Amino acid sequence: MELFTTVQQVREQVRTWKKQGFTVGLVPTMGFLHEGHKSLIDRAVAENDKVVVSVFVNPIQFGPNEDFAQYPRDLEKDAALCENAGAAILFHPEPEEMYPNGFCTHVDVTGVTDNLCGAKRPGHFQGVCTVVSKLFHMVAPDRAYFGEKDAQQLAVIRRMVQDLNFDLEVVGCPIIRESDGLAKSSRNTYLNPEERRAALVLNRALTAAKSVMERGERRADRILPVIQAELGEEPLAKVDYVKMVDSLTMEDVETAERDVLVAIAVYIGKTRLIDNFTFQIQ
Ligand code: PAF
């Protein structure tokens, strides 16, 4: 595996591969890789001849009071995971390589970014779409892999790819959970043991809502209170949002008549965690 830090290195290698007829998969990440990322890389390796993993903690997708500085980083461990999983390139640019002096172009997806995390984290999806567009132009992948844990991010990127005619397939991959149900996230490392135990309430609350829906309930005003009640039982949990939205547009729905996303964001202490499930209507 090659460890590249410049756009030129990546471009030259990808051009050579394309001339040789190889397909290319891209897994964009912010590093501190865990089993969730590994599942994306494994799938990319299974479906493409060559895989590029990017590790870049993207400053422009963090708000001024968010955790950019504290975001966990461990390049050596990430490189070992990527190499063992069969990636061909680990691309780890410095911020100056991605955003040289004078950089002033951003990609703004509207509508699908208005609700959920988009409403709570102004500028976040503009930062995500800008960096992901840049990576798509640098790597020109045939397929790009994103986790369903960031369900709104996945919907926003699908919309952007369609609207801007990026010539690639966006592949969504299922949420990977710890054995006790907590969705894997690099931010789980912020939790102390008591918070780690408290964080289980997210999956418990979603599981309760899912079983209500499986018994036939479709109304948001009956489903969301089940989640709120479960979260209310945990003193360390502070709700940021609890929503049922259309799985494509991310708009609130009152009654699930098409596929819906049930999504929550909850602070456990100072750590903001997200989780969700998609409920398919037959
Ligand atoms: O999901 C992430 O880790 C990031 O938002 C992404 C897609 C790598 C863009 O920085």
Side-chain angles (χ1 to χ4, degrees):
M1 187 185 73
E2 304 281 358
L3 176 65
F4 287 160
T5 56
T6 69
V7 177
Q8 196 189 340
Q9 287 172 314
V10 174
R11 280 233 160 102
E12 277 172 10
Q13 181 61 81
V14 171
R15 269 195 204 120
T16 309
W17 286 340
K18 296 253 157 154
K19 276 193 203 133
Q20 294 166 330
F22 291 137
T23 57
V24 178
L26 169 67
V27 184
T29 82
M30 297 205 299
F32 212 71
L33 304 179
H34 50 65
E35 289 292 316
H37 298 108
K38 185 171 176 304
S39 74
L40 307 184
I41 301 170
D42 287 344
R43 176 122 180 233
V45 167
E47 294 180 351
N48 301 274
D49 298 317
K50 301 287 178 187
V51 169
V52 179
V53 180
S54 62
V55 169
F56 178 62
V57 185
N58 176 31
I60 68 165
Q61 70 182 74
F62 289 80
N65 300 316
E66 294 186 349
D67 56 342
F68 173 68
Q70 303 99 286
Y71 198 85
R73 293 153 166 93
D74 189 342
L75 188 62
E76 220 171 288
K77 202 159 150 253
D78 290 348
L81 187 148
C82 291
E83 177 139 43
N84 291 334
I89 294 179
L90 173 54
F91 177 44
H92 177 59
E94 290 299 322
E96 299 72 37
E97 179 71 7
M98 293 299 269
Y99 304 115
N101 270 343
F103 183 90
C104 59
T105 303
H106 294 88
V107 178
D108 223 348
V109 176
T110 57
V112 68
T113 57
D114 288 349
N115 203 357
L116 308 174
C117 291
K120 297 289 179 172
R121 303 182 67 190
H124 170 67
F125 285 119
Q126 190 195 68
V128 170
C129 289
T130 302
V131 80
V132 168
S133 298
K134 286 171 67 74
L135 290 166
F136 285 173
H137 286 305
M138 290 166 195
V139 178
D142 297 277
R143 297 178 195 82
Y145 296 80
F146 298 89
E148 288 173 355
K149 183 167 116 19
D150 296 299
Q152 188 177 20
Q153 170 172 280
L154 181 56
V156 169
I157 289 169
R158 284 192 196 286
R159 185 76 247 174
M160 178 185 83
V161 163
Q162 192 179 331
D163 289 354
L164 297 184
N165 305 93
F166 281 103
D167 188 15
L168 58 92
E169 183 191 346
V170 174
V171 182
C173 301
I175 297 177
I176 303 293
R177 297 181 181 279
E178 304 284 354
S179 56
D180 59 9
L182 180 65
K184 298 238 182 200
S185 163
S186 307
R187 291 191 168 96
N188 291 349
T189 51
Y190 298 151
L191 302 169
N192 67 32
E194 202 194 346
E195 291 169 340
R196 173 68 183 72
R197 178 206 50 74
L200 295 178
V201 74
L202 278 84
N203 186 44
R204 224 170 28 243
L206 289 175
T207 305
K210 199 191 252 173
S211 68
V212 167
M213 293 187 81
E214 280 163 356
R215 291 200 297 275
E217 187 55 74
R218 295 287 177 268
R219 284 178 50 179
D221 65 357
R222 301 256 174 86
I223 296 162
L224 302 183
V226 172
I227 299 179
Q228 273 143 351
E230 196 68 51
L231 295 174
E233 293 289 309
E234 174 47 65
L236 294 185
K238 196 172 138 272
V239 173
D240 194 25
Y241 65 70
V242 172
K243 294 261 186 176
M244 183 165 92
V245 299
D246 181 281
S247 65
L248 294 178
T249 65
M250 301 287 119
E251 282 167 8
D252 287 347
V253 296
E254 284 176 12
T255 307
E257 283 158 357
R258 291 195 302 274
D259 292 358
V260 289
L261 175 78
V262 177
I264 62 178
V266 179
Y267 284 93
I268 302 289
K270 287 200 167 83
T271 305
R272 185 176 179 277
L273 299 176
I274 57 172
D275 203 347
N276 69 77
F277 68 88
T278 297
F279 193 85
Q280 284 169 341
I281 306 291
Q282 313 306 327

